């Protein structure tokens, strides 16, 4: 109960001010930080360089620090106040040392030093048995430092991302990843494995669709035990679009009669409730305001647009009144982010898809991006962070928007074509 | 008596066509000789010869030949309406599926999309394309209960390049026959 209450307070705090109109988060102070690397040679130059870049990236994404980009090498116990520190006007020094322990675990010693008070503010050490998961070590260090500095939680950094990517025609695999997609572990392969969706808050289970003998089949898969359970099947298409907070209900897009419609599936009673009955395309349902409403995409006016349906009455209303192709959306509480194709073209003549933020409790719209194709927006559970895929001039990247800080980041993608992503 | 008559006619025909200088090897294409000598229909009661004649005349399609007869249906960008120039493809597909050899096969129509569009919407678009082809075949006499549909979205492209030509090849509905 305390956890639930805590989550409610946390979300309430994040969205205490209407995020659709409050552009910038007011900060007490943004500290200028210098990062000093004391990593031993046994770690290797490659890992050492990658880790440094990750730390810098995480510091920037936290949006609480101004980061000095130079890669300074220092002994872990060396003097802190140096000419470099003074020349760069650094206010904080983040010094870290990576090394292997006796049992080959990756360890990190971290100190945060205040130049002004000439003292160590934070000192921590970390241990990670699986070296391949080093990106999570970086994310953990920065999210902890953020907490120590009294800033809002960025614990979403520590969450896993699950995504499906195409490997060849007729084949797609599902991967577990960190939010930068640096760490990747394949968890499902062979055939078309699609639309992975987290099944619980603890990120132990996923739902995904496998096209099996030309029949889409929805499975629940426990990543830790390897137990796989068939949930339901449908001719045509079957997608788990969302999972309720308590994990008891799913929003499904399925076509048992040939036409793609939105259903709410109760895992306890195994009953399906049909929400939409339009003869065209209804897809991408996301729970809004608990499980009382579902926001979804429909082409009922001849082009994809965003609608809101009441799960009890089935009544539906149009939510978006601009754009002629609004074909994906994500919801968090009563906030909705959707992708919309603009009438104007990019400098290379290609279409622009921008992301917009709206709320079911206000009429304001906030534009979140301004160029490129920004698609597949996904809220991180209970946070102000939205992940999306950006394509611009033949380059794809993973985009991240911190709504409250009004900052966005791009991480170039080198993973092939992503089919679907959730975090 | 009938058999004796047939044998006499056959022997006479062989003499006329081959002469007596060599021993003629018996060939399995006996029905040709029957036609040449215009054997009255009512006396043809040799069941074995009948079977051979039926197979040769009706040209039974193999499963592979039947599969080759059914063609892919292509769609416009973001559309699931069957284009006018695809109606003839649908009709010839229906003709193929109306053949007697198709009575024992099951049909799967798979809908596909180009790389544009979003994940779920693209799968729904593929499904609508598959359903459009299924409905068109049903309207031409193919039993709907024998047709299964599945959407593969942009997950099974036939062309992997990012060009308009490739995208048009990938916007399609394929008809797969299963024995």
């Amino acid at each position: 109960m305390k956890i639930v209450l805590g989550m409610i307070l946390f979300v309430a705090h994040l969205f205490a001010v209407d995020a659709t109109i409050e552009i910038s988060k007011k900060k007490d102070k943004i500290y200028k930080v210098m990062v000093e690397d004391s990593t031993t040679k046994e770690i290797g130059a490659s890992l050492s360089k990658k880790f440094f870049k990750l730390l810098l990236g995480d510091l920037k994404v936290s949006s609480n620090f101004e980061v000095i980009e130079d890669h300074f090498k220092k002994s872990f116990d060396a003097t802190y106040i140096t000419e470099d520190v003074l020349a760069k006007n650094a206010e904080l020094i983040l010094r870290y040392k990576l090394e292997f322990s006796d049992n080959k675990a990756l360890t990190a010693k971290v100190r945060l030093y205040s130049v002004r008070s000439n003292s160590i503010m934070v000192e921590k050490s970390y241990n990670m048995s699986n070296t391949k998961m080093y990106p999570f070590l970086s994310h953990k260090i920065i999210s902890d430092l953020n907490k120590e500095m009294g800033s809002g939680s960025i614990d979403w950094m520590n969450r896993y991302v699950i995504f499906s990517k195409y490997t060849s025609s007729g084949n797609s695999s599902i991967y577990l990843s960190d939010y930068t997609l640096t760490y990747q572990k394949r968890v499902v392969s062979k055939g078309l494995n699609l639309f992975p969706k987290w099944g619980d808050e603890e990120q132990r289970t996923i739902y995904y669709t496998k096209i099996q003998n030309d029949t889409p089949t929805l499975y629940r898969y426990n990543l830790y035990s390897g137990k796989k359970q068939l949930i339901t099947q449908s001719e045509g298409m079957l997608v788990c679009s969302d999972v309720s907070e308590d994990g008891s209900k799913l929003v499904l897009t399925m076509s048992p009669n040939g036409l793609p419609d939105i259903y709410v599936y109760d895992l306890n009673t195994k009953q399906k409730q049909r929400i939409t009955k339009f003869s065209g395309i209804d897809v991408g349902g996301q729970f809004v305001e608990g499980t009382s409403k579902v926001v979804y995409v429909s082409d009922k006016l001849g082009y994809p647009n965003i609608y809101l349906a009441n799960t009890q009455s089935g009544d539906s209303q149009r939510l978006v009144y601009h754009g002629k192709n609004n074909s994906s959306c994500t919801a968090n509480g009563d906030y909705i982010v959707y992708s919309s194709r603009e009438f104007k073209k990019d400098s290379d003549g290609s279409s622009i898809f921008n992301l917009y933020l709206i709320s079911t409790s206000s009429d304001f719209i906030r534009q979140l991006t301004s160029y490129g194709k920004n698609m597949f927006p996904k809220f991180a559970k209970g946070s102000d962070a939205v992940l999306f895929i950006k394509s611009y001039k033949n380059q794809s990247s993973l985009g991240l928007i911190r709504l409250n800080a009004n900052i966005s980041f791009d991480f170039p993608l080198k993973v092939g074509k992503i089919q679907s992503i959730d975090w | 008596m009938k058999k004796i008559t047939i044998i006499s006619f056959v022997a006479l025909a062989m003499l006329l066509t081959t002469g007596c200088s060599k021993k003629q090897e018996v060939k399995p294409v006996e029905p040709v000789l029957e036609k040449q000598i215009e054997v009255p229909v009512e006396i043809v009661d040799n069941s074995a010869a009948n079977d051979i004649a039926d197979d040769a005349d009706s040209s039974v399609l193999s499963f592979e030949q039947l599969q080759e007869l059914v063609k892919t249906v292509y769609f416009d960008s973001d559309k699931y309406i069957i284009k006018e120039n695809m109606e003839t493809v649908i009709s010839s597909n229906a003709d193929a599926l109306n053949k007697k050899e198709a009575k024992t096969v099951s049909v799967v129509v798979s809908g596909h999309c180009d790389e544009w569009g979003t994940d779920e919407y693209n799968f729904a678009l593929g499904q609508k394309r598959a359903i459009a082809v299924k409905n068109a075949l049903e309207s031409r006499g193919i039993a709907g209960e024998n047709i299964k549909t599945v959407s593969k979205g942009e997950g099974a492209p036939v062309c992997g390049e990012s060009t308009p030509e490739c995208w048009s090849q990938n916007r399609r509905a394929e008809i797969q026959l299963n024995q």
Side-chain angles (χ1 to χ4, degrees):
Chain A
M1 185 62 199
K2 280 180 180 175
I3 295 170
V4 174
L5 187 62
M7 284 296 293
I8 293 167
L9 289 172
F10 169 59
V11 174
H13 169 72
L14 278 174
F15 294 123
V17 181
D18 188 345
T20 59
I21 49 176
E22 184 66 19
I23 302 294
S24 297
K25 182 182 176 185
K26 289 184 176 61
K27 292 186 179 304
D28 295 330
K29 175 75 179 171
I30 291 182
Y31 293 98
K32 194 170 185 181
V33 62
M34 173 182 274
V35 181
E36 294 182 345
D37 182 358
S38 309
T39 297
T40 57
K41 282 186 178 173
E42 63 169 345
I43 293 297
S46 175
L47 176 56
S48 176
K49 193 176 171 185
K50 287 176 188 169
F51 194 83
F52 175 78
K53 280 190 170 180
L54 273 168
L55 272 182
L56 250 58
D58 285 340
L59 279 168
K60 289 178 190 170
V61 170
S62 77
S63 72
N64 292 317
F65 300 97
E66 181 188 344
V67 183
I68 297 166
E69 305 242 356
D70 306 74
H71 191 168
F72 294 100
K73 298 267 191 180
K74 290 279 166 62
S75 163
F76 195 65
D77 294 316
T79 308
Y80 287 93
I81 309 297
T82 62
E83 286 183 8
D84 288 333
V85 170
L86 297 174
K88 296 285 182 182
N89 289 321
E91 294 169 286
L92 295 172
I93 299 167
L94 170 59
R95 184 175 289 179
Y96 70 96
K97 180 181 185 180
L98 288 184
E99 57 189 349
F100 289 120
S101 65
D102 292 341
N103 58 359
K104 299 294 176 193
L106 184 64
T107 65
K109 291 177 182 169
V110 179
R111 284 181 189 152
L112 187 66
Y113 185 86
S114 168
V115 176
R116 184 172 296 169
S117 66
N118 198 15
S119 63
I120 294 170
M121 295 172 68
V122 180
E123 182 155 16
K124 282 178 174 287
S125 63
Y126 300 83
N127 196 315
M128 175 171 270
S129 56
N130 184 355
T131 308
K132 289 178 181 171
M133 297 184 78
Y134 71 89
F136 287 100
L137 184 57
S138 168
H139 307 331
K140 178 67 176 162
I141 289 169
I142 300 305
S143 61
D144 280 356
L145 287 183
N146 199 65
K147 214 172 287 177
E148 296 284 353
M149 298 292 292
S151 301
S153 172
I154 51 168
D155 283 349
W156 51 262
M157 271 189 184
N158 303 315
R159 288 179 66 83
Y160 284 113
V161 168
I162 192 93
F163 69 89
S164 169
K165 74 173 177 183
Y166 291 116
T167 51
S168 65
S169 181
N171 288 286
S172 57
S173 299
I174 294 174
Y175 290 79
L176 196 63
S177 164
D178 69 309
Y179 86 96
T180 65
L181 306 194
T182 307
Y183 167 79
Q184 288 183 29
K185 183 182 180 183
R186 192 174 68 187
V187 290
V188 182
S189 62
K190 292 177 185 170
L192 275 174
N193 302 289
L194 308 157
F195 303 107
K197 182 69 64 181
W198 286 113
D200 53 10
E201 183 62 26
E202 295 76 29
Q203 297 194 308
R204 296 186 69 83
T205 57
I206 59 168
Y207 292 93
Y208 73 97
T209 301
K210 188 176 194 74
I211 297 187
Q212 205 161 273
N213 299 324
D214 290 321
T215 301
T217 306
L218 182 68
Y219 285 104
R220 177 166 53 201
Y221 180 62
N222 187 309
L223 296 168
Y224 292 85
S225 70
K227 186 184 168 191
K228 193 166 85 169
Q229 183 186 357
L230 193 154
I231 302 298
T232 187
Q233 292 182 299
S234 170
E235 182 178 333
M237 73 174 289
L238 173 58
V239 179
C240 174
S241 308
D242 200 12
V243 181
S244 64
E245 287 287 333
D246 64 0
S248 68
K249 289 181 178 175
L250 310 178
V251 182
L252 303 181
T253 297
M254 55 195 295
S255 53
N257 307 312
L259 301 173
D261 275 308
I262 309 280
Y263 292 76
V264 171
Y265 182 79
D266 190 316
L267 287 159
N268 296 321
T269 63
K270 303 191 187 313
Q271 295 294 309
K272 298 182 188 89
Q273 180 195 356
R274 188 175 172 185
I275 305 297
T276 62
K277 296 182 172 73
F278 170 57
S279 62
I281 292 174
D282 295 321
V283 294
Q286 306 268 306
F287 282 122
V288 181
E289 299 175 18
T291 58
S292 64
K293 292 174 182 170
V294 169
V295 62
Y296 66 102
V297 175
S298 175
D299 74 337
K300 60 180 78 182
L301 289 178
Y303 61 90
N305 202 3
I306 313 297
Y307 294 83
L308 184 69
N310 187 303
T311 53
Q312 294 307 311
S313 66
D315 293 342
S316 183
Q317 68 180 92
R318 184 178 169 184
L319 274 187
V320 178
Y321 289 86
H322 75 95
K324 285 290 181 189
N325 189 324
N326 308 320
S327 57
S328 61
C329 61
T330 180
N332 188 9
D334 57 357
Y335 284 89
I336 297 157
V337 171
Y338 63 92
S339 174
S340 177
R341 186 171 68 193
E342 307 287 4
F343 289 105
K344 66 177 182 180
K345 301 280 184 184
D346 242 333
S347 56
D348 60 355
S350 60
S351 297
I352 298 173
F353 286 78
N354 278 324
L355 297 181
Y356 290 84
L357 173 71
I358 57 173
S359 164
T360 55
S361 55
S362 75
D363 293 330
F364 290 99
I365 300 175
R366 183 174 140 196
Q367 186 173 338
L368 302 174
T369 59
S370 59
Y371 67 95
K373 292 183 179 65
N374 303 281
M375 318 280 276
F376 313 121
K378 296 287 175 190
F379 264 110
K381 293 273 183 197
S383 85
D384 72 329
V386 178
L387 201 67
F388 62 101
I389 305 295
K390 187 182 198 81
S391 302
Y392 183 61
K393 292 186 176 175
N394 297 322
Q395 172 67 52
S396 289
S397 54
L398 185 75
L400 177 76
I401 297 175
R402 299 288 315 281
L403 292 175
N404 287 345
N406 196 32
I407 298 175
S408 67
F409 304 90
D410 291 347
F411 302 93
L413 276 179
K414 296 170 185 169
V415 296
K417 185 168 169 50
I418 287 183
Q419 188 272 326
S420 182
I421 192 165
D422 192 34
W423 73 334
Chain B
M1 181 61 197
K2 286 177 181 174
K3 282 184 179 174
I4 294 168
T5 310
I6 295 169
I7 292 165
S8 302
F9 275 115
V10 170
L12 178 63
M14 287 177 72
L15 279 172
L16 288 171
T17 54
T18 63
C20 303
S21 59
K22 296 177 186 174
K23 283 187 178 176
Q24 182 62 39
E25 188 182 344
V26 178
K27 292 183 177 178
V29 208
E30 300 291 341
V32 176
L33 294 176
E34 285 184 355
K35 283 182 179 174
Q36 283 176 342
I37 59 172
E38 295 180 349
V39 177
V41 174
E42 63 269 23
I43 66 165
V44 178
D45 64 350
N46 185 324
S47 58
N50 246 347
D51 288 347
I52 296 169
D54 278 346
D55 287 348
D57 290 345
S58 61
S59 61
V60 175
L61 292 171
S62 68
F63 175 77
E64 289 73 21
Q65 288 170 319
L66 191 63
Q67 177 68 70
E68 277 182 21
L69 282 181
V70 289
K71 303 294 181 192
T72 301
V73 180
Y74 295 95
F75 292 83
D76 282 339
S77 176
D78 214 22
K79 302 290 184 206
Y80 47 84
I81 297 166
I82 291 171
K83 296 190 282 186
E84 215 173 302
N85 64 354
M86 284 290 122
E87 291 290 348
T88 52
V89 177
I90 293 284
S91 294
S92 71
N93 285 344
D95 290 344
L97 295 175
N98 268 321
K99 289 185 183 297
K100 65 175 185 292
E101 294 89 338
K103 302 302 176 196
T104 56
V105 301
S106 63
V107 180
V108 177
V109 182
S110 58
H112 303 262
C113 304
D114 60 25
E115 65 187 59
W116 297 106
T118 55
D119 47 7
E120 277 195 47
Y121 192 81
N122 246 11
F123 269 76
L125 191 58
Q127 175 58 15
K128 292 290 289 182
R129 286 172 178 165
I131 283 290
V133 170
K134 178 184 176 179
N135 290 343
L137 292 173
E138 274 188 283
S139 72
R140 287 164 174 81
I142 311 299
E145 59 266 28
N146 291 335
I147 305 174
K148 184 177 171 181
T149 59
V150 64
S151 174
K152 296 190 177 175
E154 71 273 34
V158 290
C159 188
E161 294 166 22
S162 194
T163 63
E165 292 74 25
C166 251
W167 300 331
S168 63
Q169 287 177 49
N170 291 334
R171 294 190 295 264
R172 70 199 194 279
E174 287 182 358
I175 299 171
Q176 178 66 46
L177 308 182
N178 294 317
Q179 281 175 309

mmCIF file of all heavy atoms in Angstrom, chain B residues 116-142:
data_model
loop_
_atom_site.group_PDB
_atom_site.id
_atom_site.type_symbol
_atom_site.label_atom_id
_atom_site.label_comp_id
_atom_site.label_asym_id
_atom_site.label_seq_id
_atom_site.Cartn_x
_atom_site.Cartn_y
_atom_site.Cartn_z
ATOM 1 N N TRP B 116 6.789 2.271 -44.311
ATOM 2 C CA TRP B 116 6.207 3.476 -43.731
ATOM 3 C C TRP B 116 5.038 3.110 -42.815
ATOM 4 O O TRP B 116 4.478 2.041 -42.908
ATOM 5 C CB TRP B 116 5.768 4.428 -44.830
ATOM 6 C CG TRP B 116 6.946 4.865 -45.625
ATOM 7 C CD1 TRP B 116 7.274 4.470 -46.884
ATOM 8 C CD2 TRP B 116 8.010 5.710 -45.176
ATOM 9 N NE1 TRP B 116 8.456 5.029 -47.258
ATOM 10 C CE2 TRP B 116 8.943 5.792 -46.232
ATOM 11 C CE3 TRP B 116 8.268 6.396 -43.992
ATOM 12 C CZ2 TRP B 116 10.107 6.546 -46.137
ATOM 13 C CZ3 TRP B 116 9.422 7.140 -43.899
ATOM 14 C CH2 TRP B 116 10.328 7.217 -44.963
ATOM 15 N N GLY B 117 4.665 4.052 -42.000
ATOM 16 C CA GLY B 117 3.571 3.786 -41.063
ATOM 17 C C GLY B 117 4.121 3.271 -39.752
ATOM 18 O O GLY B 117 5.294 2.910 -39.650
ATOM 19 N N THR B 118 3.271 3.239 -38.768
ATOM 20 C CA THR B 118 3.726 2.829 -37.442
ATOM 21 C C THR B 118 3.469 1.351 -37.231
ATOM 22 O O THR B 118 2.747 0.727 -37.983
ATOM 23 C CB THR B 118 3.007 3.636 -36.349
ATOM 24 O OG1 THR B 118 1.605 3.473 -36.561
ATOM 25 C CG2 THR B 118 3.366 5.093 -36.438
ATOM 26 N N ASP B 119 4.085 0.818 -36.217
ATOM 27 C CA ASP B 119 4.072 -0.625 -35.996
ATOM 28 C C ASP B 119 2.670 -1.243 -36.034
ATOM 29 O O ASP B 119 2.350 -2.037 -36.896
ATOM 30 C CB ASP B 119 4.795 -0.965 -34.693
ATOM 31 C CG ASP B 119 4.376 -0.096 -33.514
ATOM 32 O OD1 ASP B 119 3.432 0.700 -33.655
ATOM 33 O OD2 ASP B 119 4.993 -0.224 -32.451
ATOM 34 N N GLU B 120 1.806 -0.857 -35.109
ATOM 35 C CA GLU B 120 0.483 -1.494 -35.032
ATOM 36 C C GLU B 120 -0.389 -1.128 -36.224
ATOM 37 O O GLU B 120 -1.119 -1.955 -36.757
ATOM 38 C CB GLU B 120 -0.223 -1.094 -33.735
ATOM 39 C CG GLU B 120 0.203 -1.931 -32.558
ATOM 40 C CD GLU B 120 -0.747 -1.780 -31.389
ATOM 41 O OE1 GLU B 120 -1.963 -1.850 -31.582
ATOM 42 O OE2 GLU B 120 -0.243 -1.584 -30.270
ATOM 43 N N TYR B 121 -0.334 0.151 -36.611
ATOM 44 C CA TYR B 121 -1.179 0.595 -37.715
ATOM 45 C C TYR B 121 -0.818 -0.158 -38.998
ATOM 46 O O TYR B 121 -1.683 -0.535 -39.782
ATOM 47 C CB TYR B 121 -1.041 2.106 -37.922
ATOM 48 C CG TYR B 121 -2.090 2.669 -38.846
ATOM 49 C CD1 TYR B 121 -3.362 2.961 -38.374
ATOM 50 C CD2 TYR B 121 -1.831 2.866 -40.195
ATOM 51 C CE1 TYR B 121 -4.350 3.447 -39.213
ATOM 52 C CE2 TYR B 121 -2.802 3.352 -41.048
ATOM 53 C CZ TYR B 121 -4.063 3.646 -40.546
ATOM 54 O OH TYR B 121 -5.037 4.115 -41.385
ATOM 55 N N ASN B 122 0.465 -0.398 -39.201
ATOM 56 C CA ASN B 122 0.901 -1.138 -40.379
ATOM 57 C C ASN B 122 0.382 -2.574 -40.364
ATOM 58 O O ASN B 122 0.031 -3.127 -41.397
ATOM 59 C CB ASN B 122 2.429 -1.140 -40.452
ATOM 60 C CG ASN B 122 2.922 -0.366 -41.651
ATOM 61 O OD1 ASN B 122 2.161 0.334 -42.309
ATOM 62 N ND2 ASN B 122 4.194 -0.505 -41.951
ATOM 63 N N PHE B 123 0.355 -3.171 -39.196
ATOM 64 C CA PHE B 123 -0.170 -4.547 -39.121
ATOM 65 C C PHE B 123 -1.671 -4.567 -39.415
ATOM 66 O O PHE B 123 -2.169 -5.475 -40.067
ATOM 67 C CB PHE B 123 0.145 -5.177 -37.759
ATOM 68 C CG PHE B 123 1.448 -5.916 -37.779
ATOM 69 C CD1 PHE B 123 2.646 -5.232 -37.753
ATOM 70 C CD2 PHE B 123 1.489 -7.295 -37.877
ATOM 71 C CE1 PHE B 123 3.861 -5.894 -37.824
ATOM 72 C CE2 PHE B 123 2.693 -7.974 -37.952
ATOM 73 C CZ PHE B 123 3.885 -7.274 -37.914
ATOM 74 N N ALA B 124 -2.366 -3.546 -38.935
ATOM 75 C CA ALA B 124 -3.803 -3.467 -39.226
ATOM 76 C C ALA B 124 -4.039 -3.229 -40.716
ATOM 77 O O ALA B 124 -4.955 -3.795 -41.306
ATOM 78 C CB ALA B 124 -4.433 -2.344 -38.403
ATOM 79 N N LEU B 125 -3.189 -2.408 -41.309
ATOM 80 C CA LEU B 125 -3.289 -2.151 -42.747
ATOM 81 C C LEU B 125 -3.074 -3.456 -43.525
ATOM 82 O O LEU B 125 -3.811 -3.756 -44.477
ATOM 83 C CB LEU B 125 -2.233 -1.116 -43.142
ATOM 84 C CG LEU B 125 -2.305 -0.491 -44.531
ATOM 85 C CD1 LEU B 125 -3.635 0.202 -44.754
ATOM 86 C CD2 LEU B 125 -1.160 0.517 -44.702
ATOM 87 N N GLY B 126 -2.092 -4.234 -43.103
ATOM 88 C CA GLY B 126 -1.849 -5.529 -43.743
ATOM 89 C C GLY B 126 -3.051 -6.447 -43.609
ATOM 90 O O GLY B 126 -3.431 -7.154 -44.556
ATOM 91 N N GLN B 127 -3.681 -6.427 -42.451
ATOM 92 C CA GLN B 127 -4.854 -7.272 -42.222
ATOM 93 C C GLN B 127 -6.015 -6.834 -43.104
ATOM 94 O O GLN B 127 -6.740 -7.665 -43.667
ATOM 95 C CB GLN B 127 -5.242 -7.226 -40.733
ATOM 96 C CG GLN B 127 -6.519 -7.963 -40.376
ATOM 97 C CD GLN B 127 -6.475 -9.439 -40.743
ATOM 98 O OE1 GLN B 127 -5.416 -10.000 -41.012
ATOM 99 N NE2 GLN B 127 -7.633 -10.083 -40.784
ATOM 100 N N LYS B 128 -6.202 -5.519 -43.223
ATOM 101 C CA LYS B 128 -7.289 -5.020 -44.073
ATOM 102 C C LYS B 128 -7.050 -5.404 -45.542
ATOM 103 O O LYS B 128 -7.992 -5.688 -46.280
ATOM 104 C CB LYS B 128 -7.402 -3.499 -43.945
ATOM 105 C CG LYS B 128 -7.887 -3.029 -42.588
ATOM 106 C CD LYS B 128 -9.349 -3.358 -42.342
ATOM 107 C CE LYS B 128 -10.274 -2.510 -43.179
ATOM 108 N NZ LYS B 128 -11.693 -2.794 -42.893
ATOM 109 N N ARG B 129 -5.795 -5.420 -45.963
ATOM 110 C CA ARG B 129 -5.476 -5.842 -47.332
ATOM 111 C C ARG B 129 -5.798 -7.330 -47.522
ATOM 112 O O ARG B 129 -6.352 -7.731 -48.555
ATOM 113 C CB ARG B 129 -4.003 -5.562 -47.644
ATOM 114 C CG ARG B 129 -3.747 -4.089 -47.868
ATOM 115 C CD ARG B 129 -2.275 -3.727 -47.984
ATOM 116 N NE ARG B 129 -2.142 -2.288 -48.257
ATOM 117 C CZ ARG B 129 -1.033 -1.598 -48.142
ATOM 118 N NH1 ARG B 129 0.082 -2.190 -47.741
ATOM 119 N NH2 ARG B 129 -1.010 -0.307 -48.415
ATOM 120 N N ALA B 130 -5.441 -8.116 -46.525
ATOM 121 C CA ALA B 130 -5.728 -9.561 -46.617
ATOM 122 C C ALA B 130 -7.239 -9.796 -46.676
ATOM 123 O O ALA B 130 -7.727 -10.606 -47.466
ATOM 124 C CB ALA B 130 -5.115 -10.283 -45.416
ATOM 125 N N ILE B 131 -7.975 -9.057 -45.848
ATOM 126 C CA ILE B 131 -9.439 -9.206 -45.826
ATOM 127 C C ILE B 131 -10.059 -8.734 -47.146
ATOM 128 O O ILE B 131 -11.006 -9.346 -47.649
ATOM 129 C CB ILE B 131 -10.026 -8.397 -44.633
ATOM 130 C CG1 ILE B 131 -9.789 -9.167 -43.342
ATOM 131 C CG2 ILE B 131 -11.497 -8.091 -44.810
ATOM 132 C CD1 ILE B 131 -10.619 -10.431 -43.184
ATOM 133 N N ALA B 132 -9.508 -7.659 -47.719
ATOM 134 C CA ALA B 132 -10.030 -7.150 -48.998
ATOM 135 C C ALA B 132 -9.903 -8.219 -50.079
ATOM 136 O O ALA B 132 -10.827 -8.433 -50.871
ATOM 137 C CB ALA B 132 -9.275 -5.882 -49.401
ATOM 138 N N VAL B 133 -8.774 -8.916 -50.104
ATOM 139 C CA VAL B 133 -8.573 -9.973 -51.099
ATOM 140 C C VAL B 133 -9.486 -11.161 -50.795
ATOM 141 O O VAL B 133 -10.105 -11.736 -51.707
ATOM 142 C CB VAL B 133 -7.085 -10.399 -51.124
ATOM 143 C CG1 VAL B 133 -6.898 -11.662 -51.960
ATOM 144 C CG2 VAL B 133 -6.240 -9.264 -51.697
ATOM 145 N N LYS B 134 -9.606 -11.508 -49.533
ATOM 146 C CA LYS B 134 -10.504 -12.617 -49.160
ATOM 147 C C LYS B 134 -11.945 -12.312 -49.606
ATOM 148 O O LYS B 134 -12.618 -13.163 -50.200
ATOM 149 C CB LYS B 134 -10.453 -12.845 -47.643
ATOM 150 C CG LYS B 134 -11.384 -13.943 -47.170
ATOM 151 C CD LYS B 134 -11.386 -14.092 -45.652
ATOM 152 C CE LYS B 134 -12.410 -15.135 -45.227
ATOM 153 N NZ LYS B 134 -12.445 -15.342 -43.778
ATOM 154 N N ASN B 135 -12.395 -11.098 -49.311
ATOM 155 C CA ASN B 135 -13.770 -10.724 -49.689
ATOM 156 C C ASN B 135 -13.957 -10.761 -51.206
ATOM 157 O O ASN B 135 -14.998 -11.202 -51.701
ATOM 158 C CB ASN B 135 -14.104 -9.328 -49.155
ATOM 159 C CG ASN B 135 -14.232 -9.313 -47.636
ATOM 160 O OD1 ASN B 135 -14.379 -10.372 -47.013
ATOM 161 N ND2 ASN B 135 -14.150 -8.146 -47.037
ATOM 162 N N ALA B 136 -12.934 -10.291 -51.929
ATOM 163 C CA ALA B 136 -13.029 -10.279 -53.393
ATOM 164 C C ALA B 136 -13.106 -11.714 -53.938
ATOM 165 O O ALA B 136 -13.835 -11.982 -54.888
ATOM 166 C CB ALA B 136 -11.838 -9.541 -53.984
ATOM 167 N N LEU B 137 -12.350 -12.603 -53.337
ATOM 168 C CA LEU B 137 -12.393 -14.006 -53.778
ATOM 169 C C LEU B 137 -13.743 -14.634 -53.432
ATOM 170 O O LEU B 137 -14.306 -15.393 -54.224
ATOM 171 C CB LEU B 137 -11.260 -14.804 -53.120
ATOM 172 C CG LEU B 137 -9.842 -14.443 -53.578
ATOM 173 C CD1 LEU B 137 -8.799 -15.172 -52.737
ATOM 174 C CD2 LEU B 137 -9.643 -14.779 -55.057
ATOM 175 N N GLU B 138 -14.254 -14.291 -52.260
ATOM 176 C CA GLU B 138 -15.571 -14.809 -51.866
ATOM 177 C C GLU B 138 -16.650 -14.360 -52.845
ATOM 178 O O GLU B 138 -17.532 -15.139 -53.212
ATOM 179 C CB GLU B 138 -15.925 -14.310 -50.455
ATOM 180 C CG GLU B 138 -15.387 -15.190 -49.341
ATOM 181 C CD GLU B 138 -15.926 -14.760 -47.982
ATOM 182 O OE1 GLU B 138 -15.414 -13.752 -47.457
ATOM 183 O OE2 GLU B 138 -16.836 -15.412 -47.467
ATOM 184 N N SER B 139 -16.556 -13.105 -53.275
ATOM 185 C CA SER B 139 -17.564 -12.593 -54.203
ATOM 186 C C SER B 139 -17.476 -13.276 -55.566
ATOM 187 O O SER B 139 -18.379 -13.156 -56.383
ATOM 188 C CB SER B 139 -17.410 -11.076 -54.365
ATOM 189 O OG SER B 139 -16.246 -10.788 -55.112
ATOM 190 N N ARG B 140 -16.369 -13.979 -55.795
ATOM 191 C CA ARG B 140 -16.221 -14.721 -57.053
ATOM 192 C C ARG B 140 -16.370 -16.222 -56.830
ATOM 193 O O ARG B 140 -15.861 -17.035 -57.613
ATOM 194 C CB ARG B 140 -14.871 -14.393 -57.692
ATOM 195 C CG ARG B 140 -14.816 -12.991 -58.295
ATOM 196 C CD ARG B 140 -13.388 -12.569 -58.555
ATOM 197 N NE ARG B 140 -13.293 -11.298 -59.260
ATOM 198 C CZ ARG B 140 -13.407 -10.111 -58.680
ATOM 199 N NH1 ARG B 140 -13.665 -10.026 -57.386
ATOM 200 N NH2 ARG B 140 -13.280 -9.006 -59.386
ATOM 201 N N GLY B 141 -17.019 -16.576 -55.762
ATOM 202 C CA GLY B 141 -17.422 -17.954 -55.571
ATOM 203 C C GLY B 141 -16.514 -18.835 -54.737
ATOM 204 O O GLY B 141 -16.755 -20.033 -54.602
ATOM 205 N N ILE B 142 -15.446 -18.275 -54.171
ATOM 206 C CA ILE B 142 -14.566 -19.097 -53.328
ATOM 207 C C ILE B 142 -15.128 -19.096 -51.901
ATOM 208 O O ILE B 142 -15.462 -18.037 -51.359
ATOM 209 C CB ILE B 142 -13.121 -18.544 -53.303
ATOM 210 C CG1 ILE B 142 -12.620 -18.270 -54.721
ATOM 211 C CG2 ILE B 142 -12.191 -19.489 -52.567
ATOM 212 C CD1 ILE B 142 -12.555 -19.481 -55.616
#
